[in-house]
Amino acid sequence: MSKHSKIKQIRASVIKGGEGGGGADYHDQGEGHWIDNHIATSMGRYPEYRQSRKSFGINVLGTLVVEIECEDGTTGFAVTTGGEPAAYMVEKHFARFLEGRDPFDYETIWDQMYFASQYYGRKGIVVNAISGVDLALWDLMGRLRGEPVYHMLGGAVRNELQFYATGARPDLAKEMGFIGGKLPLLHGPIEGDEGLKKNVELLADMRAKCGDDFWLMYDCWMALDVNYATRLAHACAPHGLKWIEEAISPDDYWGYAQLKKNVPAGMLVTTGEHEATRWGFRMLMEMDCCDLIQPDVGWCGGVTELLKISAMADARGIMVVPHGSSVYSYHFVITRHNSPFAEFLMMAPKADHVAPMFHPQLLGEPVPVNGRLNVSALDKPGFGVELNPDVKLYRPYTH
Ligand SMILES: C[C@H](O)[C@H](O)CC(=O)C(=O)O
Ligand SMILES: [Mg+2]
């Protein structure tokens, strides 16, 4: 018999505000931000969509905020992306699997959300919505128990997190104490050999600025084909490229398996931020697609699913380093030996200082200091963050 208060209500909201809203939709940034400045994508084959990812709609969905309130008033919440379409699913479909139920029944709740939506879901925005609900449940469980989520996941296996930084200025990231820097790839196959040369020159320049021991990686955001990715990997090897990330379409498991065979010895192939659920990651692992997987905790199915994905990876000697995800990643990474470091996305427009990833939605979001975060920064109930009351929530649907 459960002694916990039952779930009274689940609410799904979005944040209005348009361009520059930021937060969970980290691509929704204002003009001049490094994250939207001529980054290689598969839309680059259309010249009108080459300069800016916002031009083809990378920011159309926006943030989803899920709140789950218990009968005793305790409320857990989470933010992810998915916007109004995800809010519709939470309110009109998934709410029935939560209200009146013990919040600690998270396995059954996950199972029911996934299988009830399987005929239209399985990946993408539906699993974003499921992830948002799951993360709000873990936050709620932590608040009810007065414990941080990482305690409920088994406790910390080390005293601090160490981070690499994703952004346009690995040289500045090194000065800020990060262990590595991941550059966005700027030129795609459509820009030919000249573009490839520029990609290699940028890496060489950063290597000269950062020295030999600093990790440098390229994030290719699904823009390449196997041939181009193989050529890029070999051209970048003399400049010490540690890994080549998300080089090709996430649907091309066969291509990843080939790329992993093609890259120079010692270079890692990484992917997974646009993959979802234990079945998607099982495919990546069984087809030997990569050395390191990068589930986004707000997109892959939440913490409940990440635990299953991570156990499979551990048994195969594959590292799990979540994509972005801020606190949702930190509470997980600190509990797992096969997650030895974490990603920090540089949200400052010029990547020249540390800024919280989910600004302005969250208050109390911890950020790395000297590229590190002590476990004590996570010692608050749930995920340890609060919704910023100054950010107006809009609830487009009710049930
Ligand atoms: C920099 C990448 O293009 C993307 O915006 C973020 C990402 O894929 C990552 O952090 O990994
Ligand atoms: Mg990436």
Side-chain angles (χ1 to χ4, degrees):
M1 255 309 253
S2 169
K3 56 181 172 28
H4 300 291
S5 174
K6 299 257 184 288
I7 295 171
K8 185 172 92 184
Q9 191 184 47
I10 179 165
R11 298 181 289 275
S13 307
V14 299
I15 290 161
K16 295 272 182 195
E19 188 171 284
D25 187 354
Y26 62 91
H27 287 117
D28 189 20
Q29 302 295 336
E31 288 309 304
H33 198 290
W34 70 265
I35 209 159
D36 202 35
N37 187 22
H38 196 122
I39 287 174
T41 79
S42 39
M43 289 296 282
R45 69 187 80 169
Y46 305 103
E48 67 273 32
Y49 297 125
R50 200 172 295 159
Q51 180 54 34
S52 150
R53 293 193 279 192
K54 279 194 304 191
S55 69
F56 65 75
I58 199 171
N59 58 338
V60 291
L61 291 175
T63 296
L64 170 73
V65 180
V66 178
E67 294 170 281
I68 306 178
E69 186 179 344
C70 274
E71 282 161 354
D72 71 357
T74 311
T75 302
F77 81 96
V79 297
T80 181
T81 44
E84 287 199 25
Y88 181 90
M89 288 163 205
V90 173
E91 294 271 357
K92 301 293 186 193
H93 198 172
F94 301 150
R96 73 192 70 195
F97 305 122
L98 287 108
E99 290 174 358
R101 191 162 227 157
D102 185 328
F104 285 80
D105 285 349
Y106 61 89
E107 281 287 350
T108 305
I109 293 170
W110 197 99
D111 207 63
Q112 294 187 346
M113 290 191 292
Y114 179 81
F115 286 106
S117 62
Q118 198 176 29
Y119 70 97
Y120 66 86
R122 299 174 42 239
K123 285 181 191 265
I125 200 165
V126 180
V127 185
N128 280 23
I130 291 175
S131 307
V133 174
D134 184 73
L135 295 176
L137 267 180
W138 279 92
D139 188 52
L140 176 61
M141 290 189 282
R143 288 170 195 262
L144 287 167
R145 290 173 64 139
E147 278 184 51
V149 170
Y150 83 84
H151 272 187
M152 298 190 293
L153 299 180
V157 296
R158 61 185 88 85
N159 289 335
E160 62 175 17
L161 293 167
Q162 51 177 358
F163 292 84
Y164 75 87
T166 297
R169 296 296 303 269
D171 52 333
L172 300 183
K174 185 180 178 199
E175 285 171 17
M176 289 179 244
F178 289 94
I179 55 174
K182 188 171 79 187
L183 283 160
L185 190 78
L186 300 185
H187 306 281
I190 198 76
E191 293 172 75
D193 285 348
E194 203 184 316
L196 192 132
K197 194 163 156 254
K198 285 186 194 161
N199 288 331
V200 178
E201 281 168 359
L202 175 61
L203 178 70
D205 179 48
M206 283 300 161
R207 175 57 69 210
K209 290 183 168 122
C210 297
D212 286 345
D213 296 333
F214 191 67
W215 300 354
L216 286 174
M217 297 75 95
Y218 251 139
D219 188 322
C220 310
W221 211 72
M222 310 169 277
L224 313 181
D225 52 49
V226 175
N227 181 270
Y228 188 100
T230 304
R231 289 171 61 218
L232 179 72
H234 282 270
C236 288
H239 307 292
L241 188 72
K242 185 174 175 70
W243 75 60
I244 180 165
E245 175 169 325
E246 236 197 351
I248 57 177
S249 163
D251 285 327
D252 191 359
Y253 302 98
W254 307 268
Y256 276 105
Q258 186 59 52
L259 181 63
K260 186 162 176 286
K261 292 192 184 90
N262 291 358
V263 296
M267 189 183 291
L268 307 178
V269 173
T270 74
T271 191
E273 71 188 66
H274 296 104
E275 189 54 84
T277 76
R278 70 201 82 158
W279 298 284
F281 282 93
R282 178 178 171 183
M283 188 80 116
L284 281 179
M285 293 184 232
E286 288 196 355
M287 287 190 65
D288 202 15
C289 293
C290 56
D291 303 282
L292 183 159
I293 55 169
Q294 300 164 307
D296 186 295
V297 193
W299 302 342
C300 73
V303 163
T304 303
E305 198 62 359
L306 184 57
L307 292 171
K308 297 176 171 76
I309 295 165
S310 157
M312 284 195 292
D314 198 9
R316 290 175 165 85
I318 292 178
M319 285 182 279
V320 182
V321 179
H323 168 251
S325 314
S326 183
V327 286
Y328 306 116
S329 163
Y330 309 160
H331 279 261
F332 169 80
V333 170
I334 198 89
T335 69
R336 290 296 181 274
H337 286 294
N338 63 325
S339 301
F341 53 90
E343 175 179 17
F344 187 74
L345 255 160
M346 297 299 282
M347 283 294 95
K350 307 227 169 301
D352 54 1
H353 63 271
V354 165
M357 179 173 166
F358 288 144
H359 176 78
Q361 282 92 340
L362 299 187
L363 295 180
E365 185 181 351
V367 291
V369 178
N370 287 329
R372 291 176 149 67
L373 193 67
N374 192 278
V375 64
S376 57
L378 305 177
D379 273 333
K380 290 183 195 151
F383 287 107
V385 286
E386 302 301 331
L387 267 175
N388 181 352
D390 294 338
V391 173
K392 204 165 158 25
L393 300 185
Y394 164 67
R395 190 175 171 198
Y397 308 101
T398 54
H399 61 276

